Amino acid sequence: MPAFRQVGEKQLPQEIIFMAWSPKRDLIALANKVGEVLLHRLANFQRVWSLPPNENTGKEVTALAWRPDGKILAFGLADTKRVILCDAEKPESLHSFSVDAPITYMHWMEVTEESSVLTSFYNAEDESNLLLPKLPALPKNYSTTAKIFSEEKSDEIMKLLGDVRLNALVLGGSSGFIEVYAYGMYKIATVTGVAGSCLGLCFSSDLKSLSVITEVQVSPDSAPEITYFQLDTSLLSVYLPEVTRMARKFTHISTLLQYIKLSLTCMCEAWEEILMQMDSRLTKFVQEKNTTTSVQDEFMQLLLWGKASLELQALLMNQLTVKGLKKLGQSIESSYSSIQKLVISHLQSGSEALLYHLSELKGMASWKQKYESLGLDAAGIEDAITAVGSFILKANELLQVIDSSMKNFKAFFRWLYVAMLRMSEDHVLPELNKMTQKDITFVADFLTEHFNEAPELYNRKGKYFNVERVGQYLKDEDDDLVSPPNTEGNQWFNFLQNSTHLKESPLLFPYYPPKSLHFVKRRMEGIIDQCLQKPADVIGKSVHQAICMPLYKGSKSEDSTPRLFKLPFMWNDKSSNLHYVLFTMLESSLSKIYILRRHTDVSRSANNGLLAVDFGNFLNNSINESSDTSFYSCVDAHFYDDETITVVLKENAEQEGKERILAQLPLSSVYVDEDQEREFSLNSSKRLDEQSDDIPTRTVFLESQWRVLENMKAQYVAVNGIRKVSCVKIKVLLSSNLRHVRVFEMDVEDDGEAEEEEEEEETTPVVGGEHEELNLSAVNHNSVCGGSVEVADETEEHESSLDS
């Protein structure tokens, strides 16, 4: 077996409660007790970035999972019941969604099953890329808008979509909550019928089976029962090509909804509060003036006779001012232009792409032989298409309001600017002084329409006026528009209202004149969510329980220190389609490892292969090694890869100065041919711990695949045997105080080469600042320094690949 080489050691400021290695890079994600999510690199455990907790996302991290390509990290938050998808490149949230229960475990897997249909789908270019224009990138100058679209590249949206090959994020929570999200974005299954709070999940790579470990609290006074369920998910497996196509469409639609939402956020930011100043000042003017003349009449007199009352002069010259009026006019023009561009280039582009993908989905739903069993509903998709059409109509209405407002305000401010210059007896340029009868009529119409006092508006908005008409469309409120568009003279609108058949025709998109753009957008999102929810319900109902196996009684009281990993663990062997479940049961204060091997195809009667493993003495050779006595208890364990289990052991005879042991346990040393003669026959009426004496036990004597962990009371281990960067496999150990971290490289080259490398490193100068940042422990300082310097060059290479 390979040697273990320590490459880093660090004392962290906060207790770590979750760790997860990236499947593709030398990066490990951590979640600490205060709700911070951090990303560290292998070399010296150097921090790459940190994402602090906030009110919008949440502060109580309960689970971590990497997307199989290592580009996105998912984490669940209990206090807000949200799941966040975070970019591995930088600490930014790409996508988030709410769930019905706090997440206690998550598993992100990739489908490896191959078929000719799937292969052709994977290799074919997405038609939407050929037929639809690329979505424009959102402007960078808006602070709170989505970071995924803030890059120069307009195809940044593809970062969320990821690879074409199907991957699924499986979420487990309290009260039997289990949901499956295709590509981590859109829900394709809601699983019911599993009792208890989820401790572990494993979805087979062929989608035939979902294994779940739960903690069931039978009564408040009794200890919880740990139970293993194997669920039959064969519908997903049988319709895998259809599920993949459907899920891809769902993800496109979900991403486009995100894009539209962020475009609208940009529009809201482009609209400035300064545009409300005119309404507020006119309201104050009404409240303070002593005359009975209306504001409209006051401005009309100024327009027609060139004379203003003393009160109006005070309003214009003292409160508004010539400089303020000029600035207000520029702000309105700039703001309206920005909103107009965003509607045309972003909102309409996103809506048209949404219509395209929904129409494709409707076509798929019409192919009942393939998609009816998955719950695709053509009628529901048609409602979603109609809702998108209504949103496009409302966006076009906003464009008309912007266009009209820009013309009106330009004429009004031009006239008022000249009038105020005359009041101040300033020189008026000849080109500004020219005003035709048409211009006067235009301003008079604007005053008539916008400067009418509305007392009912004061009760609603605290203002008598609504001169600015664009902002009301961008308010995220359920109230009707303060000044809806005037449809009285619109012959087409009247014709539709009076025609019952046309008004209800599916060929015409419904129109909502009194509603805001935000309202219509929320309605559209709700209808699309409802339409795409049905497949999740139908697929979820097809999932049924194949095996239920009570394992053992849990502890009545939780340790005050939060556990990082809870046994059992699960591993899905993709090559043989087997589930391995790894767990421990306390027996007279001694902890064995139990390994349950099950086939993912629940229709097959493969042997269970349940074995108990204990560890004979391998530190002191003078003791009879043939003894079957267990010398060590398992503190923590994890699957390293499909051939090896990593364990942290402690000696049962606990004495002062006894060290913990890190060991690699090959599955080949556990499962041998003669085990088939000792196959365990499960009594389903009893818990597994009540049948422990009948479970075949194998005593393992490790040879070279272990290492004593000096000066560290190791408690938890996180491993990654899949990632192969520079032939390095890695693991992290966490001490009992949850702050002391030690990093090891696995599968290191032979000792001779390693010693030569260390000699070379000793002559390499090291930057002092690096050592200060690393805060290395004084323990084994020389070996730690050598390891940290050794991988420094590799680190630079990985950093450049991460940033690319």
Side-chain angles (χ1 to χ4, degrees), residues 309-353:
S309 65
L310 295 176
E311 290 179 323
L312 182 58
Q313 284 189 43
L315 167 70
L316 296 175
M317 304 306 296
N318 299 336
Q319 293 186 34
L320 191 58
T321 72
V322 174
K323 188 177 179 180
L325 180 72
K326 193 171 183 180
K327 183 180 179 183
L328 183 59
Q330 291 171 346
S331 297
I332 287 178
E333 188 171 359
S334 171
S335 179
Y336 283 1
S337 296
S338 298
I339 296 171
Q340 194 175 43
K341 289 174 185 175
L342 284 165
V343 173
I344 295 170
S345 61
H346 295 75
L347 216 57
Q348 289 187 337
S349 299
S351 302
E352 288 164 3

Side-chain angles (χ1 to χ4, degrees), residues 216-229:
V216 183
Q217 189 73 47
V218 181
S219 67
D221 300 328
S222 64
E225 282 196 1
I226 311 301
T227 307
Y228 167 77
F229 295 92

Side-chain angles (χ1 to χ4, degrees), residues 17 130 139 146 148 273 379 412 545 608 612 725 781:
I17 55 174
L130 302 173
I148 53 169
E273 289 293 333
F412 173 70
Q545 181 179 302
N608 291 337
V725 178
H781 187 267

Side-chain angles (χ1 to χ4, degrees), residues 35-73:
E36 187 179 19
V37 177
L38 309 105
L39 200 65
H40 281 253
R41 197 181 297 283
L42 164 65
N44 304 315
F45 222 65
Q46 181 184 9
R47 190 165 78 177
V48 179
W49 56 250
S50 66
L51 185 65
N54 64 66
E55 299 293 337
N56 297 325
T57 54
K59 299 180 178 180
E60 190 181 340
V61 180
T62 54
L64 291 171
W66 284 92
R67 195 167 76 179
D69 64 3
K71 293 180 180 179
I72 290 181
L73 172 70

Side-chain angles (χ1 to χ4, degrees), residues 7-8 21 26-28 40-46 723 728 730-731 743-745 791 794-795 798:
V7 295
W21 278 108
D26 60 336
L27 300 170
I28 186 169
H40 281 253
R41 197 181 297 283
L42 164 65
N44 304 315
F45 222 65
Q46 181 184 9
R723 190 195 66 80
V728 174
I730 46 186
K731 62 182 60 182
V743 190
F744 292 90
E745 286 182 0
V791 291
E794 291 181 10
T795 304
H798 299 325

Side-chain angles (χ1 to χ4, degrees), residues 638-680:
H638 213 286
F639 284 105
Y640 181 67
D641 54 25
D642 54 0
E643 299 173 355
T644 314
I645 297 170
T646 299
V647 291
V648 178
L649 305 173
K650 68 175 180 180
E651 292 190 47
N652 292 328
E654 198 62 77
Q655 297 177 14
E656 194 66 33
K658 291 290 183 182
E659 306 286 357
R660 299 287 165 91
I661 297 164
L662 175 66
Q664 296 283 77
L665 172 64
L667 281 173
S668 58
S669 67
V670 177
Y671 285 98
V672 290
D673 294 338
E674 56 263 26
D675 286 330
Q676 295 187 6
E677 301 173 5
R678 307 162 59 199
E679 184 178 334
F680 170 65

Side-chain angles (χ1 to χ4, degrees), residues 580-796:
Y580 288 93
V581 181
L582 172 65
F583 56 94
T584 62
M585 297 187 295
L586 295 176
E587 300 173 348
S588 305
S589 75
L590 305 182
S591 179
K592 293 182 180 180
I593 295 177
Y594 292 83
I595 305 172
L596 173 65
R597 179 173 64 180
R598 293 203 65 86
H599 205 281
T600 61
D601 189 347
V602 293
S603 63
R604 293 179 57 173
S605 56
N607 62 4
N608 291 337
L610 178 63
L611 283 177
V613 179
D614 60 20
F615 295 86
N617 184 52
F618 50 86
L619 287 181
N620 190 347
N621 294 327
S622 63
I623 298 177
N624 182 10
E625 291 192 354
S626 64
S627 169
D628 287 339
T629 307
S630 176
F631 281 87
Y632 304 97
S633 295
C634 176
V635 177
D636 195 26
H638 213 286
F639 284 105
Y640 181 67
D641 54 25
D642 54 0
E643 299 173 355
T644 314
I645 297 170
T646 299
V647 291
V648 178
L649 305 173
K650 68 175 180 180
E651 292 190 47
N652 292 328
E654 198 62 77
Q655 297 177 14
E656 194 66 33
K658 291 290 183 182
E659 306 286 357
R660 299 287 165 91
I661 297 164
L662 175 66
Q664 296 283 77
L665 172 64
L667 281 173
S668 58
S669 67
V670 177
Y671 285 98
V672 290
D673 294 338
E674 56 263 26
D675 286 330
Q676 295 187 6
E677 301 173 5
R678 307 162 59 199
E679 184 178 334
F680 170 65
S681 179
L682 174 70
N683 183 350
S684 57
S685 63
K686 293 182 179 181
R687 285 196 320 270
L688 203 60
D689 59 352
E690 297 171 341
Q691 309 173 61
S692 59
D693 292 340
D694 300 326
I695 299 174
T697 301
R698 177 170 297 284
T699 301
V700 177
F701 298 93
L702 301 175
E703 296 178 2
S704 61
Q705 60 270 44
W706 55 269
R707 173 173 177 158
V708 175
L709 300 170
E710 299 176 355
N711 303 313
M712 185 181 193
K713 196 175 181 181
Q715 200 76 358
Y716 307 113
V717 62
V719 300
N720 184 358
I722 307 171
R723 190 195 66 80
K724 294 179 181 178
V725 178
S726 302
C727 298
V728 174
K729 297 185 181 181
I730 46 186
K731 62 182 60 182
V732 164
L733 281 161
L734 200 62
S735 68
S736 55
N737 69 3
L738 302 183
R739 293 184 184 181
H740 184 188
V741 178
R742 193 173 287 179
V743 190
F744 292 90
E745 286 182 0
M746 311 302 293
D747 289 9
V748 190
E749 298 169 353
D750 61 59
D751 293 338
E753 291 183 20
E755 287 173 8
E756 288 177 13
E757 289 175 3
E758 285 178 3
E759 287 175 8
E760 290 177 7
E761 284 153 11
E762 286 174 4
T763 62
T764 306
V766 181
V767 180
E770 252 187 279
H771 281 273
E772 293 172 8
E773 180 190 344
L774 295 175
N775 189 21
L776 295 176
S777 167
V779 182
N780 294 332
H781 187 267
N782 292 333
S783 63
V784 172
C785 285
S788 65
V789 177
E790 179 183 346
V791 291
D793 295 335
E794 291 181 10
T795 304
E796 291 176 10

